[in-house]
Amino acid sequence: LRHLCVGGGLCQYEDSIDPLLDSVKAVYRDLVRVHKVPATGTLEVASHTYRVDAIDGPGCPPLFARESPHNFCYLTIDPLKRHAVLWANTFIP
């Protein structure tokens, strides 16, 4: 939720929280994949989400040009569908 609610010079006041909740739900649905287990009928999370903090290797530049609490990079992998989603932001003041 913190990644979607960043204030600042362009932040506008909102009378309703519904648009924010709709955005959070949409991001959640893009990042988390579930499937139903046929034997039990229960839902199980199929995706694996990783926070990427750095790229390792000789000559690799830093992932983010500046340190900021608003920088993030998440990689979600759905092994059943062989699908990956990258959600990242670089904060530039």
Side-chain angles (χ1 to χ4, degrees), residues 15-72:
D15 289 330
S16 173
I17 194 167
D18 292 334
L20 174 63
L21 293 178
D22 292 342
S23 297
V24 170
K25 287 178 188 176
V27 169
Y28 183 80
R29 286 186 184 128
D30 284 342
L31 294 178
V32 178
R33 301 279 189 239
V34 296
H35 71 278
K36 189 179 279 191
V37 179
T40 62
T42 59
L43 292 178
E44 184 177 89
V45 176
S47 57
H48 303 278
T49 301
Y50 303 94
R51 185 179 76 196
V52 180
D53 292 321
I55 300 172
D56 191 20
C60 287
L63 188 59
F64 303 108
R66 293 184 175 167
E67 289 293 322
S68 171
H70 304 296
N71 291 339
F72 63 86

Side-chain angles (χ1 to χ4, degrees), residues 63-86:
L63 188 59
F64 303 108
R66 293 184 175 167
E67 289 293 322
S68 171
H70 304 296
N71 291 339
F72 63 86
C73 181
Y74 296 105
L75 178 64
T76 299
I77 300 172
D78 181 351
L80 299 177
K81 292 186 177 180
R82 304 181 121 207
H83 184 81
V85 176
L86 179 69

